Amino acid sequence: MALSLGGTLLLAPAYGAGLFVGPAFGHFYAENHSQAWVGIGIRTGTALVAISAAESAQNQQGVSEAPNFDGLEWLLIGAAAVLGSGIYDTATAGRAAREYNRTHGLRARVTPTAGGPRGEQVGLSVTLQF
């Protein structure tokens, strides 16, 4: 889960790439490539369809008497779908990674630490067992 969340946050400034690829990092680690690519495809496809629909709605505004979504509504629907898919992939990556580690005999533990001469240094300790 840390890989998925970290990848999302670190890559987000790169034109939003983190929102599309980042949540899949944990699944790639767990060699769950199909889930990773399906998630990337869903997020990318949904964003492209929402942007296209929003642009089309803006171009059609005032042409038809029938009520329809305006561009902002399409963008909000697309953003919700991208966000939902990203949350799902991030939430399920931890389980996939634990299952992968158990199958391959890997054990990892991350624990918070505090220390230093005055106890002002805070960090994380990572223990790996092969």
Side-chain angles (χ1 to χ4, degrees):
M1 189 160 107
L3 284 173
S4 292
L5 189 58
T8 301
L9 295 175
L10 290 174
L11 290 177
Y15 303 105
L19 299 175
F20 300 100
V21 180
F25 281 4
H27 289 288
F28 280 126
Y29 165 80
E31 294 182 0
N32 191 3
H33 298 141
S34 61
Q35 175 62 39
W37 286 114
V38 165
I40 291 170
I42 287 172
R43 289 184 290 280
T44 304
T46 300
L48 292 174
V49 167
I51 290 168
S52 176
E55 188 172 312
S56 178
Q58 289 295 333
N59 292 338
Q60 295 296 322
Q61 204 167 26
V63 173
S64 170
E65 300 272 331
N68 60 357
F69 286 143
D70 67 5
L72 179 60
E73 290 167 330
W74 281 114
L75 292 177
L76 291 175
I77 291 168
V82 168
L83 187 61
S85 172
I87 289 170
Y88 176 81
D89 270 3
T90 301
T92 58
R95 181 182 46 79
R98 282 189 299 278
E99 195 173 297
Y100 174 83
N101 289 343
R102 190 176 327 110
T103 302
H104 291 84
L106 303 172
R107 288 186 19 197
R109 187 173 10 148
V110 178
T111 53
T113 60
R118 290 178 263 155
E120 73 280 0
Q121 295 173 343
V122 193
L124 294 174
S125 171
V126 178
T127 306
L128 299 173
Q129 191 173 28
F130 301 95

